[in-house]
Amino acid sequence: MKIKKRNLLGVCLIIGALFTGCGSKKSTIIELKGSDTILNVSQGIAEKYMAKNPDTKIAVTGGGSGVGISSLLNKTTDIAMASRSMKEKEYEKAEEAKVKVQEIVLGYDGITIIVNNDNQVKDISSKKLGEIFRGEITNWKDIGGTDSPIVVLSRDSSSGTHEFFKEHIIREGKKNQKEYGSQTLYAPSNQAIKQEVKNNINAIGYIGMGYMDDTVHSLAVDGITPSVENVADKSYPIAREVYWYVPENSDKSEAIDNLVDFAISKDGQEIVKNEGFIPRSL
């Protein structure tokens, strides 16, 4: 599947002008902030929506799921983009701030484990993956590769992907305090991880499947590849939902609801698919 990529220079992508030009009719401005994983797809939805609704202007900003959710609760953004679900303590903060939050499933993603194209390892178990990212396995020879040190790359702690991966792989879905290994290198974006893996034969990292291309190689996990079909039927072990979180009691509720309705419509979900994610209904 060929996926069109957009320029991700800078964390802030401003879609269209934020103020109207000539004429007396005032534009509605909607701000989205959060997950870098779904930054591209949210931008695509915003562009298409504005083409159909020229009186609405939309600003899309990255920074990570935690940043987006925090901004929503602080009432400094209209929609939080997230690649993880909101935590219990965040719902508690929302209640304290009198922000009634609605969770919108935008689509589905498979966290894709990537290695350099010259790496001979093609498959890995969830167990071994956790051991690598906890720093317990440090050499490729221990999982069928060459006698070389493993360079472990992760998203930084503001990322929802970082949190999801920690919960499901590092902590194996259990309530414990296991963490990323001390030698883990942290990157601010999917693109940064992919670039490092492309250039470093000993590196391993993870990205959203919408960012996958032929410059790196994806590993099967527990024998299952991160394909559209395997993510859709949830057989791939690291599949997840991606979200928009919206306030139900905003003074922009009507405009936000209209944008959400478009995002989950056939046209909006076609953009989700074209950006390499899995629509709500395949």
mmCIF file of all heavy atoms in Angstrom, residues 11-46:
data_model
loop_
_atom_site.group_PDB
_atom_site.id
_atom_site.type_symbol
_atom_site.label_atom_id
_atom_site.label_comp_id
_atom_site.label_asym_id
_atom_site.label_seq_id
_atom_site.Cartn_x
_atom_site.Cartn_y
_atom_site.Cartn_z
ATOM 1 N N VAL A 11 7.054 20.765 15.036
ATOM 2 C CA VAL A 11 5.976 20.030 15.678
ATOM 3 C C VAL A 11 4.618 20.627 15.414
ATOM 4 O O VAL A 11 3.607 19.991 15.672
ATOM 5 C CB VAL A 11 6.202 19.947 17.200
ATOM 6 C CG1 VAL A 11 7.455 19.178 17.524
ATOM 7 C CG2 VAL A 11 6.263 21.332 17.803
ATOM 8 N N CYS A 12 4.586 21.821 14.882
ATOM 9 C CA CYS A 12 3.293 22.490 14.711
ATOM 10 C C CYS A 12 2.952 22.604 13.253
ATOM 11 O O CYS A 12 3.724 23.136 12.479
ATOM 12 C CB CYS A 12 3.330 23.875 15.352
ATOM 13 S SG CYS A 12 1.743 24.707 15.270
ATOM 14 N N LEU A 13 1.815 22.069 12.869
ATOM 15 C CA LEU A 13 1.336 22.180 11.496
ATOM 16 C C LEU A 13 0.079 23.021 11.523
ATOM 17 O O LEU A 13 -0.916 22.627 12.114
ATOM 18 C CB LEU A 13 1.038 20.787 10.925
ATOM 19 C CG LEU A 13 2.244 19.869 10.784
ATOM 20 C CD1 LEU A 13 1.803 18.519 10.274
ATOM 21 C CD2 LEU A 13 3.263 20.476 9.855
ATOM 22 N N ILE A 14 0.131 24.167 10.910
ATOM 23 C CA ILE A 14 -1.031 25.047 10.900
ATOM 24 C C ILE A 14 -1.740 24.880 9.579
ATOM 25 O O ILE A 14 -1.166 25.092 8.535
ATOM 26 C CB ILE A 14 -0.631 26.518 11.095
ATOM 27 C CG1 ILE A 14 0.133 26.662 12.416
ATOM 28 C CG2 ILE A 14 -1.835 27.428 11.066
ATOM 29 C CD1 ILE A 14 -0.655 26.293 13.625
ATOM 30 N N ILE A 15 -2.981 24.499 9.645
ATOM 31 C CA ILE A 15 -3.771 24.229 8.464
ATOM 32 C C ILE A 15 -4.601 25.455 8.142
ATOM 33 O O ILE A 15 -5.572 25.741 8.833
ATOM 34 C CB ILE A 15 -4.742 23.047 8.680
ATOM 35 C CG1 ILE A 15 -4.084 21.939 9.478
ATOM 36 C CG2 ILE A 15 -5.259 22.546 7.352
ATOM 37 C CD1 ILE A 15 -3.008 21.196 8.802
ATOM 38 N N GLY A 16 -4.218 26.159 7.107
ATOM 39 C CA GLY A 16 -5.011 27.306 6.673
ATOM 40 C C GLY A 16 -4.782 28.521 7.554
ATOM 41 O O GLY A 16 -4.096 28.476 8.561
ATOM 42 N N ALA A 17 -5.318 29.608 7.184
ATOM 43 C CA ALA A 17 -5.214 30.851 7.965
ATOM 44 C C ALA A 17 -6.092 30.752 9.187
ATOM 45 O O ALA A 17 -7.132 30.122 9.175
ATOM 46 C CB ALA A 17 -5.652 32.028 7.105
ATOM 47 N N LEU A 18 -5.684 31.408 10.258
ATOM 48 C CA LEU A 18 -6.455 31.355 11.489
ATOM 49 C C LEU A 18 -7.493 32.468 11.578
ATOM 50 O O LEU A 18 -8.284 32.513 12.492
ATOM 51 C CB LEU A 18 -5.507 31.435 12.694
ATOM 52 C CG LEU A 18 -4.608 30.211 12.901
ATOM 53 C CD1 LEU A 18 -3.784 30.394 14.156
ATOM 54 C CD2 LEU A 18 -5.421 28.950 12.975
ATOM 55 N N PHE A 19 -7.478 33.384 10.647
ATOM 56 C CA PHE A 19 -8.460 34.457 10.661
ATOM 57 C C PHE A 19 -9.028 34.638 9.256
ATOM 58 O O PHE A 19 -8.376 34.346 8.262
ATOM 59 C CB PHE A 19 -7.819 35.762 11.120
ATOM 60 C CG PHE A 19 -7.229 35.670 12.486
ATOM 61 C CD1 PHE A 19 -5.880 35.411 12.639
ATOM 62 C CD2 PHE A 19 -8.021 35.796 13.613
ATOM 63 C CE1 PHE A 19 -5.329 35.303 13.894
ATOM 64 C CE2 PHE A 19 -7.477 35.698 14.870
ATOM 65 C CZ PHE A 19 -6.133 35.444 15.012
ATOM 66 N N THR A 20 -10.225 35.116 9.192
ATOM 67 C CA THR A 20 -10.828 35.356 7.898
ATOM 68 C C THR A 20 -10.181 36.539 7.225
ATOM 69 O O THR A 20 -9.612 37.406 7.861
ATOM 70 C CB THR A 20 -12.341 35.654 8.055
ATOM 71 O OG1 THR A 20 -12.474 36.732 8.954
ATOM 72 C CG2 THR A 20 -13.084 34.449 8.541
ATOM 73 N N GLY A 21 -10.293 36.560 5.923
ATOM 74 C CA GLY A 21 -9.790 37.684 5.145
ATOM 75 C C GLY A 21 -10.908 38.701 4.993
ATOM 76 O O GLY A 21 -11.432 39.234 5.949
ATOM 77 N N CYS A 22 -11.267 38.980 3.748
ATOM 78 C CA CYS A 22 -12.318 39.954 3.499
ATOM 79 C C CYS A 22 -13.683 39.376 3.870
ATOM 80 O O CYS A 22 -13.851 38.178 3.957
ATOM 81 C CB CYS A 22 -12.315 40.361 2.029
ATOM 82 S SG CYS A 22 -10.755 41.112 1.519
ATOM 83 N N GLY A 23 -14.629 40.226 4.058
ATOM 84 C CA GLY A 23 -15.983 39.775 4.375
ATOM 85 C C GLY A 23 -16.235 39.871 5.859
ATOM 86 O O GLY A 23 -15.333 39.927 6.675
ATOM 87 N N SER A 24 -17.489 39.870 6.210
ATOM 88 C CA SER A 24 -17.856 40.117 7.598
ATOM 89 C C SER A 24 -18.107 38.841 8.385
ATOM 90 O O SER A 24 -18.184 38.888 9.594
ATOM 91 C CB SER A 24 -19.116 40.995 7.636
ATOM 92 O OG SER A 24 -20.170 40.355 6.969
ATOM 93 N N LYS A 25 -18.231 37.685 7.683
ATOM 94 C CA LYS A 25 -18.549 36.452 8.387
ATOM 95 C C LYS A 25 -17.324 35.922 9.130
ATOM 96 O O LYS A 25 -16.256 35.765 8.554
ATOM 97 C CB LYS A 25 -19.058 35.386 7.412
ATOM 98 C CG LYS A 25 -19.623 34.167 8.124
ATOM 99 C CD LYS A 25 -20.336 33.253 7.156
ATOM 100 C CE LYS A 25 -20.937 32.069 7.890
ATOM 101 N NZ LYS A 25 -21.646 31.162 6.993
ATOM 102 N N LYS A 26 -17.468 35.660 10.412
ATOM 103 C CA LYS A 26 -16.355 35.222 11.244
ATOM 104 C C LYS A 26 -16.139 33.720 11.113
ATOM 105 O O LYS A 26 -17.073 32.939 11.142
ATOM 106 C CB LYS A 26 -16.642 35.577 12.700
ATOM 107 C CG LYS A 26 -15.502 35.263 13.646
ATOM 108 C CD LYS A 26 -15.857 35.684 15.056
ATOM 109 C CE LYS A 26 -14.733 35.337 16.011
ATOM 110 N NZ LYS A 26 -15.076 35.713 17.402
ATOM 111 N N SER A 27 -14.872 33.323 10.974
ATOM 112 C CA SER A 27 -14.544 31.906 10.883
ATOM 113 C C SER A 27 -14.567 31.251 12.257
ATOM 114 O O SER A 27 -14.266 31.883 13.267
ATOM 115 C CB SER A 27 -13.152 31.718 10.272
ATOM 116 O OG SER A 27 -13.119 32.107 8.936
ATOM 117 N N THR A 28 -14.889 29.967 12.278
ATOM 118 C CA THR A 28 -14.737 29.160 13.481
ATOM 119 C C THR A 28 -13.352 28.534 13.434
ATOM 120 O O THR A 28 -12.953 27.965 12.412
ATOM 121 C CB THR A 28 -15.803 28.050 13.535
ATOM 122 O OG1 THR A 28 -17.097 28.652 13.575
ATOM 123 C CG2 THR A 28 -15.605 27.173 14.766
ATOM 124 N N ILE A 29 -12.618 28.651 14.528
ATOM 125 C CA ILE A 29 -11.272 28.091 14.604
ATOM 126 C C ILE A 29 -11.293 26.893 15.549
ATOM 127 O O ILE A 29 -11.699 27.010 16.705
ATOM 128 C CB ILE A 29 -10.260 29.132 15.101
ATOM 129 C CG1 ILE A 29 -10.260 30.355 14.173
ATOM 130 C CG2 ILE A 29 -8.869 28.534 15.189
ATOM 131 C CD1 ILE A 29 -9.506 31.536 14.737
ATOM 132 N N ILE A 30 -10.853 25.733 15.072
ATOM 133 C CA ILE A 30 -10.768 24.520 15.880
ATOM 134 C C ILE A 30 -9.305 24.125 15.996
ATOM 135 O O ILE A 30 -8.599 24.037 14.990
ATOM 136 C CB ILE A 30 -11.577 23.364 15.265
ATOM 137 C CG1 ILE A 30 -13.054 23.749 15.121
ATOM 138 C CG2 ILE A 30 -11.442 22.099 16.112
ATOM 139 C CD1 ILE A 30 -13.891 22.705 14.415
ATOM 140 N N GLU A 31 -8.861 23.880 17.218
ATOM 141 C CA GLU A 31 -7.469 23.474 17.441
ATOM 142 C C GLU A 31 -7.399 22.019 17.881
ATOM 143 O O GLU A 31 -8.130 21.593 18.772
ATOM 144 C CB GLU A 31 -6.828 24.368 18.491
ATOM 145 C CG GLU A 31 -6.727 25.832 18.077
ATOM 146 C CD GLU A 31 -5.995 26.670 19.105
ATOM 147 O OE1 GLU A 31 -4.845 26.333 19.433
ATOM 148 O OE2 GLU A 31 -6.588 27.650 19.591
ATOM 149 N N LEU A 32 -6.497 21.258 17.238
ATOM 150 C CA LEU A 32 -6.207 19.878 17.612
ATOM 151 C C LEU A 32 -4.764 19.811 18.060
ATOM 152 O O LEU A 32 -3.878 20.411 17.437
ATOM 153 C CB LEU A 32 -6.403 18.919 16.439
ATOM 154 C CG LEU A 32 -7.827 18.624 15.961
ATOM 155 C CD1 LEU A 32 -8.364 19.747 15.103
ATOM 156 C CD2 LEU A 32 -7.846 17.308 15.178
ATOM 157 N N LYS A 33 -4.505 19.051 19.135
ATOM 158 C CA LYS A 33 -3.146 18.933 19.646
ATOM 159 C C LYS A 33 -2.930 17.534 20.196
ATOM 160 O O LYS A 33 -3.847 16.916 20.731
ATOM 161 C CB LYS A 33 -2.913 19.958 20.759
ATOM 162 C CG LYS A 33 -1.489 19.995 21.297
ATOM 163 C CD LYS A 33 -1.322 21.052 22.387
ATOM 164 C CE LYS A 33 -1.427 22.451 21.818
ATOM 165 N NZ LYS A 33 -1.101 23.499 22.836
ATOM 166 N N GLY A 34 -1.698 17.020 20.037
ATOM 167 C CA GLY A 34 -1.385 15.746 20.675
ATOM 168 C C GLY A 34 -0.536 14.803 19.868
ATOM 169 O O GLY A 34 0.527 15.179 19.364
ATOM 170 N N SER A 35 -1.012 13.590 19.709
ATOM 171 C CA SER A 35 -0.238 12.471 19.180
ATOM 172 C C SER A 35 0.440 12.767 17.846
ATOM 173 O O SER A 35 -0.199 13.139 16.869
ATOM 174 C CB SER A 35 -1.154 11.259 19.016
ATOM 175 O OG SER A 35 -0.488 10.221 18.304
ATOM 176 N N ASP A 36 1.760 12.539 17.806
ATOM 177 C CA ASP A 36 2.487 12.650 16.542
ATOM 178 C C ASP A 36 2.157 11.474 15.619
ATOM 179 O O ASP A 36 2.261 11.594 14.404
ATOM 180 C CB ASP A 36 3.990 12.703 16.802
ATOM 181 C CG ASP A 36 4.407 13.997 17.492
ATOM 182 O OD1 ASP A 36 4.190 15.065 16.915
ATOM 183 O OD2 ASP A 36 4.937 13.925 18.619
ATOM 184 N N THR A 37 1.768 10.337 16.204
ATOM 185 C CA THR A 37 1.435 9.165 15.392
ATOM 186 C C THR A 37 0.272 9.456 14.453
ATOM 187 O O THR A 37 0.279 9.053 13.299
ATOM 188 C CB THR A 37 1.105 7.963 16.302
ATOM 189 O OG1 THR A 37 2.268 7.618 17.066
ATOM 190 C CG2 THR A 37 0.670 6.759 15.480
ATOM 191 N N ILE A 38 -0.753 10.163 14.947
ATOM 192 C CA ILE A 38 -1.905 10.445 14.085
ATOM 193 C C ILE A 38 -1.938 11.903 13.633
ATOM 194 O O ILE A 38 -2.984 12.414 13.242
ATOM 195 C CB ILE A 38 -3.237 10.040 14.763
ATOM 196 C CG1 ILE A 38 -3.419 10.755 16.112
ATOM 197 C CG2 ILE A 38 -3.305 8.533 14.920
ATOM 198 C CD1 ILE A 38 -4.827 10.544 16.695
ATOM 199 N N LEU A 39 -0.769 12.547 13.656
ATOM 200 C CA LEU A 39 -0.682 13.929 13.187
ATOM 201 C C LEU A 39 -1.002 14.014 11.698
ATOM 202 O O LEU A 39 -1.793 14.854 11.261
ATOM 203 C CB LEU A 39 0.720 14.469 13.460
ATOM 204 C CG LEU A 39 0.970 15.945 13.188
ATOM 205 C CD1 LEU A 39 0.112 16.817 14.089
ATOM 206 C CD2 LEU A 39 2.447 16.267 13.393
ATOM 207 N N ASN A 40 -0.389 13.131 10.904
ATOM 208 C CA ASN A 40 -0.618 13.162 9.455
ATOM 209 C C ASN A 40 -2.078 12.925 9.087
ATOM 210 O O ASN A 40 -2.650 13.631 8.253
ATOM 211 C CB ASN A 40 0.241 12.094 8.768
ATOM 212 C CG ASN A 40 1.673 12.533 8.558
ATOM 213 O OD1 ASN A 40 2.024 13.668 8.882
ATOM 214 N ND2 ASN A 40 2.499 11.651 8.042
ATOM 215 N N VAL A 41 -2.669 11.905 9.699
ATOM 216 C CA VAL A 41 -4.045 11.573 9.332
ATOM 217 C C VAL A 41 -5.004 12.662 9.798
ATOM 218 O O VAL A 41 -5.964 13.004 9.091
ATOM 219 C CB VAL A 41 -4.451 10.186 9.879
ATOM 220 C CG1 VAL A 41 -4.499 10.143 11.388
ATOM 221 C CG2 VAL A 41 -5.783 9.742 9.299
ATOM 222 N N SER A 42 -4.749 13.271 10.955
ATOM 223 C CA SER A 42 -5.592 14.364 11.421
ATOM 224 C C SER A 42 -5.442 15.580 10.514
ATOM 225 O O SER A 42 -6.418 16.290 10.235
ATOM 226 C CB SER A 42 -5.227 14.725 12.867
ATOM 227 O OG SER A 42 -5.491 13.643 13.738
ATOM 228 N N GLN A 43 -4.235 15.825 10.048
ATOM 229 C CA GLN A 43 -4.022 16.915 9.108
ATOM 230 C C GLN A 43 -4.798 16.671 7.812
ATOM 231 O O GLN A 43 -5.431 17.578 7.271
ATOM 232 C CB GLN A 43 -2.537 17.063 8.788
ATOM 233 C CG GLN A 43 -2.252 18.179 7.784
ATOM 234 C CD GLN A 43 -0.810 18.207 7.332
ATOM 235 O OE1 GLN A 43 0.001 17.383 7.750
ATOM 236 N NE2 GLN A 43 -0.482 19.136 6.467
ATOM 237 N N GLY A 44 -4.743 15.419 7.329
ATOM 238 C CA GLY A 44 -5.467 15.089 6.098
ATOM 239 C C GLY A 44 -6.966 15.295 6.233
ATOM 240 O O GLY A 44 -7.630 15.803 5.323
ATOM 241 N N ILE A 45 -7.515 14.887 7.384
ATOM 242 C CA ILE A 45 -8.944 15.072 7.643
ATOM 243 C C ILE A 45 -9.275 16.560 7.692
ATOM 244 O O ILE A 45 -10.276 17.012 7.121
ATOM 245 C CB ILE A 45 -9.342 14.365 8.951
ATOM 246 C CG1 ILE A 45 -9.285 12.841 8.757
ATOM 247 C CG2 ILE A 45 -10.734 14.795 9.407
ATOM 248 C CD1 ILE A 45 -9.407 12.054 10.046
ATOM 249 N N ALA A 46 -8.406 17.328 8.371
ATOM 250 C CA ALA A 46 -8.636 18.772 8.492
ATOM 251 C C ALA A 46 -8.632 19.445 7.122
ATOM 252 O O ALA A 46 -9.477 20.296 6.833
ATOM 253 C CB ALA A 46 -7.573 19.388 9.394
#
